[in-house]
Amino acid sequence: MTEAHIYKSQPTDITARILMLGYKASVRFTMGIKAALPRYELYLYRAVLVGALIWAGSWIFDASSENVDRKSFKESVRPGWHYFGRKMDVADFEWIMWFTTFRNHILFALVGHVIFAKIFTVIAPKHRSLIFGVYGGLAVLVTMGWTFMALVLSHCIILYSIALVKSKWLSFAAGLATLASIKMEPYNSWQESLVTGSFDLQDILFYGGCGFSIMRCMSFCLENCEKKEGNYTFSDLLRYNFYLPFFFFGPIMTFDRFHAQANNTQLTRKEREMWNITTKALLHLGVILVVDVFFHYLYILTIPSDMKLVTKLSDWCLAGLAYSNLVYDWVKAAMMFGVINTVATLDHLDPPQPPKCITMLYVFAETHFDRGINDWLCKYVYDYIGGDHDKIFKELLATICTFAITTLWLGPCQLVYIWSFFNCFGLNFELWVAKFFSFPPFSTIENAMGEAMSRRIRGIFNAANFWAIVLYNVLALNSLEFAKLVARRMIFKGFPLSTLSVLLVTYCGVQLVKEREREQALLEEPEPVKPVDGGKEKAE
């Protein structure tokens, strides 16, 4: 897939918008979540995991150092911070765009937004949503020009007119048709030609602004259908759509939530909220610096692009590259949404949170890289069709419809088709397995064994599931060829030594994640205190 196709297939980069849909906790593999394991066993798991990460990291470091001058690295490994004395991996154009080319534009626009929003929140809190829309609209007009503004407004006008009919299916059909017009040829090229100018990042902002605008307009239409009396105004739609922090890059906040929060006049801060906002902002800055430092020593993005080099690497190096690519993609999404969410929180909004780290995942049910899109799809498609998510055929229909829309959102192409198929299958396969093992004799056997042993057995299956998640998504992060090579080495050529050792390390990681979940579950719902002497209190 060419770089131009990537720009057109979605707002920024295909790796930043990868998302998978979750279903409710009733079908998750979480039986015995409060089952404890011995402390010495958990210490052993930590030691194994840390040692394995250092081992895999050393392989990647050696591969980076020994091949820094390869001809294939020339474009993506360039001089970095001079006092490190090493070149830097700059293969991810999106990271470089955000923190070099686009950095000053973003900071200038967002600082202006914060200042104006704060002034008018104090002066006229009832009209602060209007200020959000006016400032955002002016910023978009100055950045992109009047033709882009006219194009976005035409999308808004068309979908608003359809919203007045109050038909969910008509709203959905019109929204998907409009989305297809900027994702499929020749309509997307024609619309892009109307707004292309001299600004270097205008094509990226075009697809981001139009794509998210259409999704927001669809949310507006569907919420208007739910409104029992009257209709929301066109002004409500414009205020919602042109909220600048979300406009170009998301996340998407459904209209009902945004409308209620942006028009709330009882503006108060929670205890230590400003301290938490400041802490998160400093944390984001620290993580950005750490990632830049790592890019000087571990060329995790450039190495997978050189298949001749990749075929010579060890199994451990390949496993480390696949895992680290997913972790990095999560970090990138978390930083991008974290910065935007910090501004939204200053505006007294409660935006969608950053995605859950891939390290903390062992089920498809919780895997998503854009929580805003995930919430949108779950509310309007997945939950609407799937209901309780415990019936196999309804779940299958819900996931197929959801991933069909996701495919259109990402931009139809071979790579996206493959990604959608495997992740749709993985999500359904979890439900099938959960249903299968809920029947006797499996349920009887599990009930007879201790909770700790049940947790260990489930951890084995979760470890295999974790690598399915990695392999299904690494093909979109790097390439189909790299994903196929990793799968062959991990499953076939590396069997049994590499396969079992990697699964053992993954099993240790899964159990540590389960332990963290157990501690959180106990904090939220402490175990009841056992009564003394069979329920009879001792006499004083």
Side-chain angles (χ1 to χ4, degrees):
M1 188 163 64
T2 65
E3 190 171 274
H5 194 156
I6 291 176
Y7 288 160
K8 295 181 180 181
S9 67
Q10 59 169 359
T12 52
D13 175 15
I14 192 168
T15 64
R17 300 298 177 195
I18 294 298
L19 48 110
M20 285 181 291
L21 289 305
Y23 46 78
K24 295 181 179 178
S26 59
V27 295
R28 287 178 53 206
F29 294 168
T30 54
M31 180 177 176
I33 193 173
K34 294 184 181 180
L37 295 179
R39 284 202 175 276
Y40 67 83
E41 186 175 340
L42 295 173
Y43 291 148
L44 177 62
Y45 292 156
R46 288 191 181 96
V48 171
L49 184 62
V50 171
L53 289 175
I54 294 174
W55 178 251
S58 67
W59 280 99
I60 299 174
F61 174 77
D62 290 341
S64 302
S65 301
E66 295 170 1
N67 297 280
V68 65
D69 295 322
R70 285 178 70 92
K71 191 176 294 186
S72 58
F73 283 21
K74 186 176 181 180
E75 293 298 322
S76 56
V77 177
R78 297 178 181 176
W81 298 352
H82 68 276
Y83 38 84
F84 280 143
R86 289 181 62 93
K87 293 183 178 180
M88 178 182 177
D89 190 339
V90 295
D92 186 359
F93 82 94
E94 188 177 28
W95 182 271
I96 301 302
M97 175 194 76
W98 268 89
F99 300 111
T100 55
T101 309
F102 204 40
R103 178 186 58 203
N104 295 333
H105 301 281
I106 292 174
L107 290 176
F108 179 79
L110 291 183
V111 167
H113 169 88
V114 170
I115 293 173
F116 277 95
K118 184 62 178 178
I119 292 173
F120 283 93
T121 296
V122 174
I123 296 175
K126 292 184 179 180
H127 303 292
R128 68 192 189 99
S129 63
L130 175 62
I131 300 304
F132 292 162
V134 170
Y135 180 87
L138 290 174
V140 172
L141 179 63
V142 171
T143 303
M144 299 294 289
W146 69 268
T147 51
F148 177 81
M149 178 64 78
L151 181 63
V152 172
L153 286 175
S154 68
H155 292 158
C156 293
I157 293 170
I158 292 171
L159 293 176
Y160 177 77
S161 301
I162 293 173
L164 299 178
V165 181
K166 291 201 170 185
S167 170
K168 287 186 177 181
W169 290 106
L170 183 59
S171 298
F172 232 105
L176 293 179
T178 308
L179 185 62
S181 72
I182 66 163
K183 296 292 183 178
M184 302 176 69
E185 293 288 357
Y187 312 105
N188 58 345
S189 296
W190 175 75
Q191 291 185 76
E192 185 184 7
S193 66
L194 296 176
V195 299
T196 300
S198 58
F199 187 41
D200 291 339
L201 301 173
Q202 196 154 7
D203 52 351
I204 300 173
L205 298 181
F206 166 79
Y207 287 102
C210 288
F212 280 106
S213 289
I214 293 168
M215 297 294 277
R216 283 188 288 264
C217 287
M218 289 178 68
S219 177
F220 175 88
C221 292
L222 295 170
E223 294 300 332
N224 193 67
C225 293
E226 294 289 338
K227 189 175 174 63
K228 295 180 180 179
E229 296 181 2
N231 298 285
Y232 291 110
T233 66
F234 187 62
S235 175
D236 291 330
L237 173 58
L238 295 182
R239 298 179 190 190
Y240 168 52
N241 186 54
F242 286 100
Y243 179 67
L244 185 62
F246 296 164
F247 184 81
F248 288 112
F249 298 108
I252 289 179
M253 195 173 179
T254 55
F255 175 76
D256 57 329
R257 291 183 57 198
F258 179 87
H259 184 71
Q261 294 176 23
N263 290 284
N264 178 28
T265 57
Q266 304 299 321
L267 304 177
T268 58
R269 294 286 184 194
K270 298 177 182 178
E271 185 179 355
R272 295 177 62 84
E273 184 174 359
M274 287 306 299
W275 170 260
N276 293 332
I277 292 173
T278 304
T279 303
K280 287 181 179 179
L282 293 175
L283 178 62
H284 293 148
L285 178 60
V287 171
I288 291 168
L289 295 175
V290 169
V291 170
D292 264 11
V293 171
F294 268 94
F295 276 164
H296 286 79
Y297 295 95
L298 305 175
Y299 302 153
I300 60 172
L301 305 178
T302 295
I303 292 175
S305 64
D306 187 342
M307 292 305 296
K308 289 184 179 180
L309 172 60
V310 169
T311 55
K312 301 176 183 178
L313 300 178
S314 68
D315 294 345
W316 274 98
C317 189
L318 285 179
L321 283 171
Y323 168 74
S324 59
N325 268 260
L326 261 72
V327 172
Y328 162 70
D329 195 64
W330 169 80
V331 170
K332 181 172 64 175
M335 291 305 99
M336 183 174 70
F337 293 132
V339 171
I340 292 172
N341 286 356
T342 298
V343 177
T345 306
L346 289 172
D347 292 334
H348 296 273
L349 300 182
D350 183 19
Q353 295 304 303
K356 194 172 182 180
C357 180
I358 186 67
T359 303
M360 308 300 293
L361 299 175
Y362 51 84
V363 290
F364 282 90
E366 293 186 346
T367 312
H368 45 262
F369 285 72
D370 185 334
R371 201 181 295 267
I373 290 288
N374 183 76
D375 293 344
W376 191 100
L377 288 166
C378 284
K379 179 173 184 178
Y380 299 125
V381 184
Y382 189 64
D383 291 339
Y384 182 81
I385 299 174
D388 294 331
H389 303 289
D390 59 353
K391 296 179 180 178
I392 290 177
F393 292 106
K394 287 187 69 175
E395 178 71 8
L396 180 61
L397 178 62
T399 52
I400 290 175
C401 292
T402 301
F403 276 98
I405 295 174
T406 304
T407 300
L408 179 61
W409 164 252
L410 294 176
C413 65
Q414 182 186 22
L415 198 59
V416 174
Y417 295 146
I418 296 172
W419 174 86
S420 294
F421 171 80
F422 278 110
N423 285 289
C424 184
F425 169 78
L427 195 56
N428 282 278
F429 187 71
E430 284 185 347
L431 177 61
W432 302 340
V433 172
K435 285 284 188 183
F436 181 74
F437 281 98
S438 66
F439 297 116
F442 303 106
S443 59
T444 307
I445 295 172
E446 185 169 22
N447 289 330
M449 69 175 64
E451 286 190 345
M453 183 56 66
S454 172
R455 171 176 161 176
R456 293 187 184 101
I457 293 174
R458 286 173 176 269
I460 296 172
F461 289 98
N462 295 147
N465 206 45
F466 178 89
W467 273 98
I469 294 173
V470 172
L471 292 175
Y472 291 173
N473 286 278
V474 78
L475 63 92
L477 298 176
N478 300 113
S479 65
L480 181 59
E481 291 74 19
F482 179 71
K484 288 163 63 177
L485 177 63
V486 174
R488 283 198 302 268
R489 294 279 287 274
M490 290 294 102
I491 301 173
F492 300 109
K493 291 186 177 181
F495 187 84
L497 184 60
S498 296
T499 305
L500 296 180
S501 59
V502 169
L503 285 177
L504 173 63
V505 173
T506 308
Y507 168 83
C508 294
V510 167
Q511 289 297 357
L512 293 176
V513 174
K514 284 178 176 286
E515 182 63 20
R516 185 173 182 272
E517 291 177 347
R518 185 186 77 86
E519 293 172 353
Q520 290 179 338
L522 290 175
L523 289 175
E524 295 171 2
E525 187 181 347
E527 291 182 336
V529 179
K530 295 182 179 179
V532 181
D533 290 340
K536 296 180 180 180
E537 295 184 3
K538 287 186 177 181
E540 293 291 336

